[in-house]
Amino acid sequence: MALRTMISGRAVRSGAAMGARSISSWWRNVEPAPKDPILGVTEAFLADPSPNKVNVGVGAYRDDDGKPVVLECVREAERRIAGNLNMEYLPMGGSMNMVEETLKLAYGENSELIKDKRIAAIQALSGTGACRIFADFQRRFRPESQIYIPVPTWSNHHNIWRDAQVPQRTFHYYHPESKGLDFASMMDDIKNAPNGSFFLLHACAHNPTGVDPSEEQWREISYQFKAKGHFAFFDMAYQGFASGDPEKDAKSIRIFLEDGHLIGCSQSYAKNMGLYGQRVGCLSVVCEDEKQAVAVKSQLQQLARPMYSNPPVHGALIVSIILSDPDLKKLWLKEVKVLLLLINFTTGYC
């Protein structure tokens, strides 16, 4: 006899009455996903029994013995956290202190935008999470839009906007023959894109090429964006790794702000603090005024809620402690310069 179960006032038949489909057939049509071009290398590395192997997949710091490197400023921050950390949820928007300190790195210590509360910002799951939240935000509120992505770019950019169902176009960036920026073709693509297009820009230390526009070229790019009414979304995963100076590496963003652009920005501490597994980042959107910023932030939080509810606390505390303490921040800036000497621009997490 078939069983009956009451669910929300309705009788649901189970057992043979559910039909002929076998339970084992539900996922019969699922094929293995293709290997990730970055993480697949790490999987192969871990599976290889050879003692003489090198992981050239995810870019991460290693010492001379191939062991992971943890920055001293991070170690000190963890010492201060030890025994003092509770396990309470953070708000949906994350650690306010971490977000405030992070905005200063991108927009400037004395930014008028910060003072006027014109920036909607939330803590995100590193740069990947920040990009994904923005892609979903773009899809929800500008459903007719598409995103222009440079060739080449970090491979996960394509996955992020694809899964957010935002149509993608590409624009010229790298010139393989000269191993430099294909500036003329890039400018042509910017000029020829429909007015009001969305563009993904690497703020500094372009991944995977390491090739960045000069300051003068950034000014020309900003001018053309203004003329065309384009929106710039900056992915800044490597702040400090282009020049060794995080302030200098934010120049592209500052130029756009000087020209009055309303931009979006993704920031990550995976690389410049070595907090890979902590997944600490920030998403920010510059708005017309404080009222608009409040509305935008509420929608960013609304998008985060069904994804992961609220971000993790430990990494956010590490960042907050380092950036809020003058001595630790000074140590971090010193360590960033050392890391710049070691960095190898492989594709990886951001």
Side-chain angles (χ1 to χ4, degrees), residues 50-259:
S50 172
N52 303 313
K53 58 183 180 179
V54 177
N55 186 353
V56 293
V58 175
Y61 315 127
R62 294 291 185 267
D63 61 20
D64 292 340
D65 297 320
K67 303 297 183 183
V69 174
V70 179
L71 303 188
E72 183 53 40
C73 62
V74 171
R75 289 295 193 206
E76 175 57 29
E78 288 194 309
R79 281 191 284 269
R80 298 184 188 183
I81 293 170
N84 296 310
L85 175 64
N86 63 55
M87 301 298 171
E88 293 294 316
Y89 290 121
L90 285 175
M92 283 189 293
S95 164
M96 290 184 61
N97 184 260
M98 190 282 290
V99 169
E100 289 171 1
E101 293 298 329
T102 300
L103 293 181
K104 292 176 186 177
L105 286 179
Y107 298 95
E109 190 77 27
N110 300 306
S111 168
E112 291 298 322
L113 293 170
I114 296 176
K115 293 177 182 177
D116 294 341
K117 301 180 180 180
R118 287 180 53 196
I119 305 175
I122 62 170
Q123 181 183 335
L125 302 184
S126 202
T128 301
C131 286
R132 180 56 196 264
I133 292 289
F134 181 81
D136 281 336
F137 180 75
Q138 178 185 347
R139 172 67 177 173
R140 178 170 292 184
F141 293 99
R142 295 298 300 270
E144 79 291 350
S145 68
Q146 53 194 357
I147 186 77
Y148 280 79
I149 296 178
V151 177
T153 193
W154 178 52
S155 61
N156 212 24
H157 282 145
H158 294 291
N159 300 331
I160 290 167
W161 268 269
R162 179 201 66 212
D163 281 7
Q165 299 182 13
V166 176
Q168 298 178 41
R169 300 289 296 274
T170 59
F171 65 93
H172 288 85
Y173 188 87
Y174 184 65
H175 192 269
E177 287 75 21
S178 67
K179 295 182 173 59
L181 182 68
D182 190 354
F183 185 66
S185 297
M186 178 183 180
M187 291 299 289
D188 284 342
D189 289 344
I190 292 171
K191 293 175 184 176
N192 293 329
N195 291 353
S197 293
F198 283 70
F199 277 75
L200 170 66
L201 301 174
H202 296 232
C204 62
H206 177 271
N207 180 358
T209 70
V211 173
D212 294 331
S214 66
E215 182 175 329
E216 184 56 39
Q217 287 172 330
W218 274 120
R219 294 191 183 281
E220 291 187 49
I221 294 168
S222 174
Y223 175 84
Q224 196 57 51
F225 267 58
K226 195 76 171 179
K228 294 285 294 184
H230 293 331
F231 184 91
F233 182 76
F234 287 93
D235 188 0
M236 188 157 60
Y238 295 94
Q239 188 176 8
F241 283 172
S243 67
D245 180 1
E247 184 73 9
K248 186 176 180 179
D249 284 359
K251 189 63 179 179
S252 58
I253 289 174
R254 308 291 172 79
I255 287 171
F256 270 66
L257 296 178
E258 289 169 9
D259 290 344

Side-chain angles (χ1 to χ4, degrees), residues 174-344:
Y174 184 65
H175 192 269
E177 287 75 21
S178 67
K179 295 182 173 59
L181 182 68
D182 190 354
F183 185 66
S185 297
M186 178 183 180
M187 291 299 289
D188 284 342
D189 289 344
I190 292 171
K191 293 175 184 176
N192 293 329
N195 291 353
S197 293
F198 283 70
F199 277 75
L200 170 66
L201 301 174
H202 296 232
C204 62
H206 177 271
N207 180 358
T209 70
V211 173
D212 294 331
S214 66
E215 182 175 329
E216 184 56 39
Q217 287 172 330
W218 274 120
R219 294 191 183 281
E220 291 187 49
I221 294 168
S222 174
Y223 175 84
Q224 196 57 51
F225 267 58
K226 195 76 171 179
K228 294 285 294 184
H230 293 331
F231 184 91
F233 182 76
F234 287 93
D235 188 0
M236 188 157 60
Y238 295 94
Q239 188 176 8
F241 283 172
S243 67
D245 180 1
E247 184 73 9
K248 186 176 180 179
D249 284 359
K251 189 63 179 179
S252 58
I253 289 174
R254 308 291 172 79
I255 287 171
F256 270 66
L257 296 178
E258 289 169 9
D259 290 344
H261 291 278
L262 302 179
I263 67 166
C265 182
S266 162
Q267 293 169 264
S268 169
Y269 291 103
K271 302 295 186 180
N272 59 15
M273 284 192 185
L275 298 176
Y276 313 104
Q278 296 293 346
R279 314 310 291 146
V280 193
C282 180
L283 168 62
S284 56
V285 179
V286 178
C287 301
E288 294 177 358
D289 52 36
E290 182 180 356
K291 181 179 179 181
Q292 187 179 87
V294 170
V296 170
K297 181 179 178 180
S298 72
Q299 293 293 344
L300 298 178
Q301 292 179 153
Q302 191 76 7
L303 287 165
R305 174 63 169 159
M307 284 189 190
Y308 55 84
S309 191
N310 52 306
V313 64
H314 188 77
L317 273 176
I318 292 173
V319 172
S320 295
I321 290 172
I322 291 172
L323 297 182
S324 301
D325 184 292
D327 291 333
L328 277 186
K329 186 174 181 179
K330 184 178 179 180
L331 175 59
W332 172 63
L333 293 172
K334 179 181 178 181
E335 290 186 288
V336 166
K337 287 183 170 63
V338 175
L339 291 173
L340 181 60
L341 300 176
L342 304 174
I343 193 66
N344 174 24

